[in-house]
PDB file of all heavy atoms in Angstrom:
ATOM      1  N   ASP A  83      39.139 -71.312  32.828  1.00 96.00           N
ATOM      2  CA  ASP A  83      39.239 -72.754  32.563  1.00 96.00           C
ATOM      3  C   ASP A  83      39.784 -73.007  31.158  1.00 96.00           C
ATOM      4  O   ASP A  83      40.707 -73.813  30.959  1.00 96.00           O
ATOM      5  CB  ASP A  83      37.866 -73.396  32.731  1.00 96.00           C
ATOM      6  CG  ASP A  83      37.895 -74.908  32.522  1.00 96.00           C
ATOM      7  OD1 ASP A  83      38.796 -75.566  33.085  1.00 96.00           O
ATOM      8  OD2 ASP A  83      37.027 -75.431  31.796  1.00 96.00           O
ATOM      9  N   GLU A  84      39.237 -72.302  30.169  1.00 96.00           N
ATOM     10  CA  GLU A  84      39.703 -72.468  28.792  1.00 96.00           C
ATOM     11  C   GLU A  84      41.156 -72.022  28.653  1.00 96.00           C
ATOM     12  O   GLU A  84      41.963 -72.671  27.980  1.00 96.00           O
ATOM     13  CB  GLU A  84      38.813 -71.658  27.845  1.00 96.00           C
ATOM     14  CG  GLU A  84      39.197 -71.813  26.373  1.00 96.00           C
ATOM     15  CD  GLU A  84      38.323 -70.991  25.445  1.00 96.00           C
ATOM     16  OE1 GLU A  84      37.326 -70.395  25.917  1.00 96.00           O
ATOM     17  OE2 GLU A  84      38.646 -70.929  24.236  1.00 96.00           O
ATOM     18  N   PHE A  85      41.503 -70.923  29.322  1.00 96.00           N
ATOM     19  CA  PHE A  85      42.856 -70.378  29.256  1.00 96.00           C
ATOM     20  C   PHE A  85      43.877 -71.361  29.848  1.00 96.00           C
ATOM     21  O   PHE A  85      44.939 -71.601  29.272  1.00 96.00           O
ATOM     22  CB  PHE A  85      42.896 -69.041  30.006  1.00 96.00           C
ATOM     23  CG  PHE A  85      44.247 -68.398  30.077  1.00 96.00           C
ATOM     24  CD1 PHE A  85      44.983 -68.134  28.932  1.00 96.00           C
ATOM     25  CD2 PHE A  85      44.789 -68.039  31.313  1.00 96.00           C
ATOM     26  CE1 PHE A  85      46.228 -67.520  29.002  1.00 96.00           C
ATOM     27  CE2 PHE A  85      46.029 -67.433  31.393  1.00 96.00           C
ATOM     28  CZ  PHE A  85      46.751 -67.178  30.241  1.00 96.00           C
ATOM     29  N   VAL A  86      43.550 -71.943  30.989  1.00 97.00           N
ATOM     30  CA  VAL A  86      44.452 -72.906  31.634  1.00 97.00           C
ATOM     31  C   VAL A  86      44.624 -74.148  30.771  1.00 97.00           C
ATOM     32  O   VAL A  86      45.734 -74.706  30.651  1.00 97.00           O
ATOM     33  CB  VAL A  86      43.928 -73.280  33.039  1.00 97.00           C
ATOM     34  CG1 VAL A  86      44.729 -74.448  33.618  1.00 97.00           C
ATOM     35  CG2 VAL A  86      44.023 -72.078  33.977  1.00 97.00           C
ATOM     36  N   ARG A  87      43.560 -74.608  30.130  1.00 96.00           N
ATOM     37  CA  ARG A  87      43.640 -75.775  29.241  1.00 96.00           C
ATOM     38  C   ARG A  87      44.586 -75.525  28.064  1.00 96.00           C
ATOM     39  O   ARG A  87      45.174 -76.466  27.517  1.00 96.00           O
ATOM     40  CB  ARG A  87      42.244 -76.136  28.708  1.00 96.00           C
ATOM     41  CG  ARG A  87      41.299 -76.709  29.762  1.00 96.00           C
ATOM     42  CD  ARG A  87      39.914 -76.909  29.188  1.00 96.00           C
ATOM     43  NE  ARG A  87      38.968 -77.344  30.189  1.00 96.00           N
ATOM     44  CZ  ARG A  87      38.763 -78.607  30.550  1.00 96.00           C
ATOM     45  NH1 ARG A  87      39.459 -79.563  29.950  1.00 96.00           N
ATOM     46  NH2 ARG A  87      37.879 -78.913  31.479  1.00 96.00           N
ATOM     47  N   LEU A  88      44.716 -74.231  27.701  1.00 95.00           N
ATOM     48  CA  LEU A  88      45.611 -73.868  26.599  1.00 95.00           C
ATOM     49  C   LEU A  88      47.042 -73.614  27.080  1.00 95.00           C
ATOM     50  O   LEU A  88      47.899 -73.202  26.295  1.00 95.00           O
ATOM     51  CB  LEU A  88      45.078 -72.611  25.887  1.00 95.00           C
ATOM     52  CG  LEU A  88      43.750 -72.768  25.126  1.00 95.00           C
ATOM     53  CD1 LEU A  88      43.234 -71.419  24.661  1.00 95.00           C
ATOM     54  CD2 LEU A  88      43.931 -73.717  23.942  1.00 95.00           C
ATOM     55  N   GLY A  89      47.291 -73.844  28.374  1.00 95.00           N
ATOM     56  CA  GLY A  89      48.630 -73.679  28.918  1.00 95.00           C
ATOM     57  C   GLY A  89      48.898 -72.315  29.520  1.00 95.00           C
ATOM     58  O   GLY A  89      50.058 -71.967  29.787  1.00 95.00           O
ATOM     59  N   GLY A  90      47.852 -71.519  29.765  1.00 96.00           N
ATOM     60  CA  GLY A  90      48.009 -70.173  30.315  1.00 96.00           C
ATOM     61  C   GLY A  90      48.556 -70.171  31.731  1.00 96.00           C
ATOM     62  O   GLY A  90      48.308 -71.087  32.515  1.00 96.00           O
ATOM     63  N   LYS A  91      49.312 -69.118  32.057  1.00 97.00           N
ATOM     64  CA  LYS A  91      49.960 -69.024  33.372  1.00 97.00           C
ATOM     65  C   LYS A  91      49.483 -67.851  34.218  1.00 97.00           C
ATOM     66  O   LYS A  91      49.479 -67.941  35.441  1.00 97.00           O
ATOM     67  CB  LYS A  91      51.482 -68.908  33.192  1.00 97.00           C
ATOM     68  CG  LYS A  91      52.143 -70.129  32.586  1.00 97.00           C
ATOM     69  CD  LYS A  91      53.650 -69.920  32.481  1.00 97.00           C
ATOM     70  CE  LYS A  91      54.340 -71.161  31.911  1.00 97.00           C
ATOM     71  NZ  LYS A  91      55.813 -70.962  31.829  1.00 97.00           N
ATOM     72  N   VAL A  92      49.105 -66.730  33.557  1.00 98.00           N
ATOM     73  CA  VAL A  92      48.757 -65.516  34.298  1.00 98.00           C
ATOM     74  C   VAL A  92      47.444 -64.930  33.778  1.00 98.00           C
ATOM     75  O   VAL A  92      47.323 -64.608  32.598  1.00 98.00           O
ATOM     76  CB  VAL A  92      49.854 -64.437  34.161  1.00 98.00           C
ATOM     77  CG1 VAL A  92      49.577 -63.280  35.119  1.00 98.00           C
ATOM     78  CG2 VAL A  92      51.225 -65.009  34.417  1.00 98.00           C
ATOM     79  N   LEU A  93      46.482 -64.784  34.681  1.00 98.00           N
ATOM     80  CA  LEU A  93      45.200 -64.188  34.342  1.00 98.00           C
ATOM     81  C   LEU A  93      45.129 -62.801  34.986  1.00 98.00           C
ATOM     82  O   LEU A  93      45.284 -62.660  36.202  1.00 98.00           O
ATOM     83  CB  LEU A  93      44.053 -65.055  34.865  1.00 98.00           C
ATOM     84  CG  LEU A  93      42.632 -64.557  34.583  1.00 98.00           C
ATOM     85  CD1 LEU A  93      42.339 -64.620  33.077  1.00 98.00           C
ATOM     86  CD2 LEU A  93      41.608 -65.391  35.356  1.00 98.00           C
ATOM     87  N   VAL A  94      44.926 -61.757  34.158  1.00 98.00           N
ATOM     88  CA  VAL A  94      44.883 -60.383  34.651  1.00 98.00           C
ATOM     89  C   VAL A  94      43.545 -59.754  34.266  1.00 98.00           C
ATOM     90  O   VAL A  94      43.208 -59.672  33.086  1.00 98.00           O
ATOM     91  CB  VAL A  94      46.043 -59.551  34.073  1.00 98.00           C
ATOM     92  CG1 VAL A  94      45.937 -58.103  34.544  1.00 98.00           C
ATOM     93  CG2 VAL A  94      47.380 -60.144  34.482  1.00 98.00           C
ATOM     94  N   ILE A  95      42.799 -59.307  35.290  1.00 97.00           N
ATOM     95  CA  ILE A  95      41.468 -58.735  35.065  1.00 97.00           C
ATOM     96  C   ILE A  95      41.445 -57.299  35.567  1.00 97.00           C
ATOM     97  O   ILE A  95      41.637 -57.040  36.755  1.00 97.00           O
ATOM     98  CB  ILE A  95      40.374 -59.556  35.780  1.00 97.00           C
ATOM     99  CG1 ILE A  95      40.482 -61.037  35.395  1.00 97.00           C
ATOM    100  CG2 ILE A  95      38.992 -59.018  35.417  1.00 97.00           C
ATOM    101  CD1 ILE A  95      39.544 -61.938  36.177  1.00 97.00           C
ATOM    102  N   ASP A  96      41.212 -56.384  34.662  1.00 95.00           N
ATOM    103  CA  ASP A  96      41.155 -54.959  34.988  1.00 95.00           C
ATOM    104  C   ASP A  96      39.712 -54.560  35.295  1.00 95.00           C
ATOM    105  O   ASP A  96      38.764 -55.190  34.802  1.00 95.00           O
ATOM    106  CB  ASP A  96      41.680 -54.154  33.789  1.00 95.00           C
ATOM    107  CG  ASP A  96      42.323 -52.845  34.191  1.00 95.00           C
ATOM    108  OD1 ASP A  96      42.289 -52.504  35.385  1.00 95.00           O
ATOM    109  OD2 ASP A  96      42.872 -52.167  33.299  1.00 95.00           O
TER     110      ASP A  96
END
Side-chain angles (χ1 to χ4, degrees):
D83 182 46
E84 182 181 353
F85 177 55
V86 171
R87 290 174 185 274
L88 293 171
K91 295 181 178 181
V92 189
L93 180 67
V94 177
I95 307 173
D96 209 355

